[in-house]
Amino acid sequence: MTAATSTPRKRVDTRTLLVYVALTVGVVITLFPFIWMLLTSLKGFQELFNLNFLPSQPTLDNYRQVLTETRFLQWFGNSLLVAGVTTVSVLFFDSLVGYTLAKFDFPGKNIVFVLILSTLMIPTEMLVIPWFVGVSDLGLTKSVPGAYFSIMFPGLISAFGVFLMRQFFDTLPNDLLEAARIDGMHEFGIFWRIAMPLVRPALASLAIFTFLGNWNAFLWPLIVIQQPQFRTLPIGTALFNGEAGTQWGLIMAASSLAVIPVLIVFAIFQRQIIEGVVLTGMKG
């Protein structure tokens, strides 16, 4: 009996070990480029081409040059403004549309939902020309608010976000919302105070996707931005890459600083995502 019971345990331990080995390999492969980027940003110009993994004489001179001798802070602020505003807009309007499509019955509801989803099949490159013509005809890029709005308006509402929030709102029990209506709560109050807190995992996921998408947006800002002071971080870094030439230390320093907001956003919302996964498993 002892030998019979020990064999399955060894099998379980072997499988667990293999899983941990696979996860470790995946983590190393994922983190290696970021670690290499960070270590390269700490190297002086003479060390860049020695291919040493660790810098022999770490220096912060690359960061000093990026922060003081370029427009990096201005690019950073522009990207932060664009990504932050679009994320807040998507969370509110997509949730409102998703809640309406999930919890209200009106003629043509399914048609509206299908039309919204159909926009996901249109490549962004096909929409760039009408977007640019509309922005140019309205003259939005000539003023500071108009220039920022020109960058942000394609991402203020997301069809993917509407689909995601509609699916999550559809899982909420209607009896809970009806009880709030019987108690005299107005419809927006039901949406804001009852429905929204119950879909926080979906909001966290949508916030991360939206922030990352707008933080890394390149094609549309490159086309619509005409004044240097309105450049976002990806555009500025790409131009700085050309200006810096072979000064990879400066490029790596700028790229390392650009990752900081992404890590902060993920750190803020990861708890909500994990909580949503745990609750989903408990329901099953």
Side-chain angles (χ1 to χ4, degrees), residues 168-211:
F168 267 80
F169 281 123
D170 198 40
T171 62
L172 300 183
N174 293 326
D175 295 339
L176 179 64
L177 306 181
E178 289 295 336
R181 294 188 182 98
I182 293 174
D183 290 338
M185 181 176 292
H186 54 86
E187 202 62 47
F188 186 80
I190 296 174
F191 160 75
W192 187 256
R193 299 176 60 182
I194 297 179
M196 288 287 279
L198 295 176
V199 294
R200 286 181 297 179
L203 291 172
S205 301
L206 183 58
I208 292 177
F209 293 145
T210 304
F211 188 88

Side-chain angles (χ1 to χ4, degrees), residues 25 30 40 42 58 74 79 98 105 149 158 167-168 214 222 235 246 263 265 274:
V25 172
T30 303
T40 304
L42 299 175
Q74 190 176 41
S79 291
D105 291 326
F149 179 77
S158 167
Q167 298 303 108
F168 267 80
N214 288 277
L222 176 65
I235 308 303
T246 57
L263 297 178
V265 170
I274 295 174

Side-chain angles (χ1 to χ4, degrees), residues 159-280:
F160 169 77
V162 172
F163 169 75
L164 179 67
M165 299 311 301
R166 188 258 187 187
Q167 298 303 108
F168 267 80
F169 281 123
D170 198 40
T171 62
L172 300 183
N174 293 326
D175 295 339
L176 179 64
L177 306 181
E178 289 295 336
R181 294 188 182 98
I182 293 174
D183 290 338
M185 181 176 292
H186 54 86
E187 202 62 47
F188 186 80
I190 296 174
F191 160 75
W192 187 256
R193 299 176 60 182
I194 297 179
M196 288 287 279
L198 295 176
V199 294
R200 286 181 297 179
L203 291 172
S205 301
L206 183 58
I208 292 177
F209 293 145
T210 304
F211 188 88
L212 288 178
N214 288 277
W215 181 263
N216 297 322
F218 183 82
L219 178 61
W220 173 244
L222 176 65
I223 294 175
V224 74
I225 295 175
Q226 300 176 357
Q227 295 86 355
Q229 65 269 25
F230 298 127
R231 289 174 181 168
T232 57
L233 194 56
I235 308 303
T237 304
L239 297 177
F240 175 67
N241 187 356
E243 296 171 1
T246 57
Q247 299 184 30
W248 292 104
L250 302 182
I251 298 172
M252 293 300 175
S255 301
S256 300
L257 292 173
V259 177
I260 295 177
V262 177
L263 297 178
I264 293 176
V265 170
F266 181 77
I268 293 174
F269 292 106
Q270 67 170 341
R271 181 178 178 183
Q272 300 294 337
I273 296 177
I274 295 174
E275 180 182 350
V277 173
V278 173
L279 292 177
T280 302

Side-chain angles (χ1 to χ4, degrees), residues 20-283:
Y20 278 107
V21 170
L23 291 175
T24 303
V25 172
V27 170
V28 171
I29 294 175
T30 303
L31 293 181
F32 181 78
F34 295 98
I35 297 175
W36 181 271
M37 177 181 66
L38 181 61
L39 294 177
T40 304
S41 68
L42 299 175
K43 295 180 180 180
F45 181 77
Q46 301 297 330
E47 286 190 75
L48 291 176
F49 303 99
N50 294 333
L51 298 181
N52 296 327
F53 185 70
L54 296 175
S56 58
Q57 296 180 349
T59 177
L60 295 176
D61 188 62
N62 294 322
Y63 291 93
R64 181 192 61 79
Q65 294 185 50
V66 167
L67 294 175
T68 59
E69 299 179 10
T70 69
R71 291 187 173 185
F72 179 85
L73 293 177
Q74 190 176 41
W75 305 335
F76 190 95
N78 292 337
S79 291
L80 195 62
L81 175 64
V82 171
V85 172
T86 51
T87 300
V88 173
S89 175
V90 165
L91 291 180
F92 178 74
F93 289 108
D94 285 16
S95 298
L96 195 61
V97 175
Y99 177 79
T100 302
L101 293 174
K103 296 303 178 183
F104 289 91
D105 291 326
F106 53 89
K109 181 180 73 171
N110 294 330
I111 297 177
V112 172
F113 185 57
V114 170
L115 290 176
I116 293 175
L117 291 183
S118 64
T119 61
L120 294 174
M121 297 184 291
I122 303 176
T124 303
E125 292 77 8
M126 294 182 61
L127 300 174
V128 167
I129 294 178
W131 287 347
F132 183 78
V133 172
V135 169
S136 301
D137 291 343
L138 295 175
L140 295 177
T141 58
K142 297 180 181 179
S143 61
V144 174
Y148 284 115
F149 179 77
S150 300
I151 303 172
M152 292 185 291
F153 87 88
L156 292 177
I157 298 179
S158 167
F160 169 77
V162 172
F163 169 75
L164 179 67
M165 299 311 301
R166 188 258 187 187
Q167 298 303 108
F168 267 80
F169 281 123
D170 198 40
T171 62
L172 300 183
N174 293 326
D175 295 339
L176 179 64
L177 306 181
E178 289 295 336
R181 294 188 182 98
I182 293 174
D183 290 338
M185 181 176 292
H186 54 86
E187 202 62 47
F188 186 80
I190 296 174
F191 160 75
W192 187 256
R193 299 176 60 182
I194 297 179
M196 288 287 279
L198 295 176
V199 294
R200 286 181 297 179
L203 291 172
S205 301
L206 183 58
I208 292 177
F209 293 145
T210 304
F211 188 88
L212 288 178
N214 288 277
W215 181 263
N216 297 322
F218 183 82
L219 178 61
W220 173 244
L222 176 65
I223 294 175
V224 74
I225 295 175
Q226 300 176 357
Q227 295 86 355
Q229 65 269 25
F230 298 127
R231 289 174 181 168
T232 57
L233 194 56
I235 308 303
T237 304
L239 297 177
F240 175 67
N241 187 356
E243 296 171 1
T246 57
Q247 299 184 30
W248 292 104
L250 302 182
I251 298 172
M252 293 300 175
S255 301
S256 300
L257 292 173
V259 177
I260 295 177
V262 177
L263 297 178
I264 293 176
V265 170
F266 181 77
I268 293 174
F269 292 106
Q270 67 170 341
R271 181 178 178 183
Q272 300 294 337
I273 296 177
I274 295 174
E275 180 182 350
V277 173
V278 173
L279 292 177
T280 302
M282 293 176 62
K283 291 179 182 179

